[in-house]
Amino acid sequence: MRVPEQISLLNRFIFLDWASARLIAGWVPAAKELGWKSELSRHMWIDMTCANRLLGRKEELAANAKIHIPTPQIQKFLQDVSEADDFYAFLAGWYLEVKKEIIHALERLTESLDPIFDAPTLELIAELLPKKRDQIEWAKRLIHNSVKEPAILESVTRWRKYAREYVRHLNGIDGRADLGTVSKPTKPNVESYGPAPKKRTMPDWLIKGDFENPPEDVRDNLKIFMWHYMTEIQVVDPMCYVFYGLDDMPFEFYVDFSRHIWDESRHHQMGVRRLEQMGYDIKRFPIPFVEDAIQELEHFYAELTMFGESCSFSRKKKSMDSFYAKSDIISGMTAEIDIVDERTHVKFGKKWTPVLYKHRLENEQSLDEIVRSIMDRRFAGAAEGSDLGKLSEEERRSITHFAFCGKIEFKNLVFDKL
């Protein structure tokens, strides 16, 4: 295989992995169980990591890192096969048909490459394929457990057939499968549920709560931090709406943001693990959860990274020291690892928030000006009689970002009781 053809195929696989991460993000809010949301966020990160690694190899071969849409037909295909009528149908069509075909196409590529000339590409593909196969096995198990219900079985079967025939129509996802001429399948006449459903799906057992009323067991002690970690799953759906909805950002944004989303799922898992180790049934603990899809994508990202993340360092560092002082090593490590991740997330926010505002909103404000505008919005929306609502205009203008975080939002935390 000549280098130009290899570059073209690598570009296609990069684009498909990038698209896969975004389509999965669009369907995460439709995933019912919290464990599914966590695993799918990991798949998003894996797909973006695979795309980024392949891009590095393409850049070596082509001396540029530009990613092209392979063909208009591929773009339409991605749109069509993602618009399933329910979560399981999408999962079956995307994982058991499309992702499986991507693996077959990568295997076809390895058969065409020279073991010496193309050794770096071959080594890279050999490293990535097991990660892709593991994703399919996970989806297969979940789907097999779901199709005991006839309606789900019918939906899954219909969408798998549609995705499979569409791939054949393309002559394989790489256009090199030698399947002969196959007509484009007719799209099933169903109402699309996703991507980006209007309502988020939550587990039947989930108790809705709010941060103002933490569970009594953790209300006045350090365990409240583990509850806060557990509740971080509630930001994953909104983050996925952002990841899917921002369709014109640089490739590097999605690489960074996929890691950020996966980290939030990990933080949830860290909190769940520690609370269960402490003997609690986490299904008894409420989680703040809003069903509606978010609309202000840019503002959500800015508030998440510039306030939700950056406001947490002082209190988490203090909790970490308290846990270690009480010889609670696992809780201390939970806080310490979270701080490590949050530092990276704030760096991402500083990097991308001004880009988002300028590119998407035609807003030329500096990062400091954006942060101040977010604070002003919070002041303006403060309830009368609340801590924020009681402040005079002069006091509001005098409060800096970090003073806002430490003195207003988290002033009543208890650090001396485990």
Side-chain angles (χ1 to χ4, degrees):
M1 179 179 287
R2 289 286 307 281
V3 169
E5 187 179 358
Q6 185 180 161
I7 290 169
S8 176
L9 284 168
L10 288 178
N11 177 84
R12 181 175 291 225
F13 291 121
I14 293 161
F15 180 81
L16 287 167
D17 276 338
W18 184 8
S20 177
R22 292 194 56 224
L23 293 181
I24 292 171
W27 278 97
V28 167
K32 188 173 186 179
E33 298 299 331
L34 303 185
W36 302 352
K37 296 180 189 293
S38 295
E39 185 63 19
L40 288 169
S41 70
R42 190 175 76 91
H43 293 182
M44 290 165 56
W45 170 73
I46 288 173
D47 285 350
M48 287 309 305
T49 300
C50 290
N52 200 33
R53 297 285 306 282
L54 290 170
L55 181 60
R57 178 57 178 156
K58 174 182 176 286
E59 189 173 5
E60 291 176 353
L61 294 168
N64 74 73
K66 185 173 290 187
I67 304 168
H68 303 279
I69 297 173
T71 66
Q73 291 78 14
I74 286 288
Q75 193 170 25
K76 185 67 167 64
F77 161 75
L78 295 171
Q79 178 182 330
D80 289 343
V81 298
S82 69
E83 295 174 345
D85 54 330
D86 73 16
F87 171 74
Y88 301 102
F90 165 75
L91 209 67
W94 189 252
Y95 280 77
L96 304 190
E97 301 299 336
V98 181
K99 275 183 170 284
K100 187 178 289 185
E101 170 56 23
I102 290 173
I103 289 175
H104 293 159
L106 283 167
E107 290 170 340
R108 283 194 291 273
L109 174 58
T110 63
E111 293 168 0
S112 303
L113 297 178
D114 183 90
I116 299 176
F117 293 151
D118 305 312
T121 305
L122 288 166
E123 291 288 341
L124 179 55
I125 292 174
E127 181 183 337
L128 300 181
L129 281 175
K131 300 177 186 295
K132 295 179 177 293
R133 294 189 182 107
D134 286 346
Q135 291 187 27
I136 292 172
E137 290 304 311
W138 174 83
K140 191 185 297 183
R141 290 192 298 272
L142 196 156
I143 292 164
H144 282 183
N145 287 334
S146 71
V147 294
K148 59 183 179 294
E149 298 183 29
I152 295 177
L153 176 60
E154 179 184 358
S155 176
V156 162
T157 302
R158 176 176 59 240
W159 209 257
R160 279 196 71 177
K161 181 174 183 291
Y162 174 61
R164 182 166 58 250
E165 291 179 352
Y166 211 139
V167 168
R168 287 180 59 83
H169 168 68
L170 297 172
N171 202 27
I173 206 73
D174 57 356
R176 303 170 71 240
D178 196 22
L179 300 173
T181 302
V182 180
S183 60
K184 181 179 176 181
T186 302
K187 192 171 185 178
N189 185 23
V190 295
E191 183 178 355
S192 299
Y193 182 65
K198 294 179 181 179
K199 296 285 185 181
R200 300 164 59 188
T201 305
M202 63 181 187
D204 295 331
W205 54 263
L206 189 142
I207 303 169
K208 291 184 184 178
D210 60 74
F211 289 116
E212 300 298 323
N213 297 286
E216 186 174 348
D217 289 334
V218 304
R219 187 167 299 168
D220 64 344
N221 58 70
L222 279 168
K223 296 185 186 75
I224 195 170
F225 286 92
M226 298 303 114
W227 176 68
H228 275 293
Y229 292 129
M230 186 198 83
T231 65
E232 288 192 27
I233 194 67
Q234 57 90 19
V235 300
V236 168
D237 285 346
M239 293 171 80
C240 284
Y241 282 114
V242 174
F243 193 94
Y244 175 77
L246 296 179
D247 58 359
D248 53 359
M249 287 292 288
F251 175 81
E252 293 79 12
F253 168 79
Y254 300 96
V255 175
D256 290 346
F257 199 26
S258 67
R259 174 58 191 268
H260 188 168
I261 295 172
W262 179 45
D263 285 347
E264 299 302 339
S265 294
R266 289 174 45 245
H267 299 167
H268 159 73
Q269 293 169 333
M270 293 191 303
V272 168
R273 178 176 65 181
R274 192 68 191 115
L275 287 171
E276 289 179 341
Q277 288 171 341
M278 292 173 172
Y280 294 108
D281 177 2
I282 64 105
K283 292 184 178 181
R284 291 180 48 247
F285 283 178
I287 296 177
F289 195 96
V290 178
E291 290 184 64
D292 292 338
I294 64 166
Q295 304 298 326
E296 296 183 329
L297 306 181
E298 300 83 7
H299 296 316
F300 178 87
Y301 181 83
E303 292 206 19
L304 175 69
T305 54
M306 294 295 96
F307 282 83
E309 310 279 18
S310 64
C311 285
S312 65
F313 291 117
S314 58
R315 72 182 192 275
K316 288 178 179 177
K317 174 64 166 60
K318 193 172 180 180
S319 76
M320 178 189 76
D321 293 340
S322 298
F323 282 126
Y324 284 143
K326 299 177 186 303
S327 299
D328 186 344
I329 305 302
I330 298 180
S331 296
M333 281 293 295
T334 299
E336 191 166 7
I337 293 299
D338 180 73
I339 291 169
V340 170
D341 291 340
E342 304 286 27
R343 280 201 302 264
T344 301
H345 303 163
V346 172
K347 289 179 183 177
F348 291 160
K350 289 179 177 179
K351 176 182 177 182
W352 294 114
T353 295
V355 177
L356 270 175
Y357 273 59
K358 180 177 181 179
H359 185 58
R360 298 269 305 178
L361 304 178
E362 298 183 353
N363 185 328
E364 299 281 351
Q365 286 182 310
S366 68
L367 181 63
D368 288 342
E369 290 170 332
I370 292 170
V371 169
R372 186 72 229 185
S373 69
I374 294 171
M375 288 176 61
D376 289 342
R377 286 177 65 191
R378 291 193 172 193
F379 286 132
E384 188 174 346
S386 66
D387 288 334
L388 291 182
K390 294 175 184 177
L391 297 174
S392 67
E393 184 62 29
E394 183 178 353
E395 288 173 318
R396 294 181 181 187
R397 297 305 304 177
S398 68
I399 292 178
T400 63
H401 175 203
F402 290 105
F404 177 92
C405 300
K407 296 180 181 179
I408 302 296
E409 288 196 305
F410 306 105
K411 65 179 184 179
N412 296 319
L413 294 176
V414 177
F415 291 90
D416 59 0
K417 181 180 176 184
L418 184 58

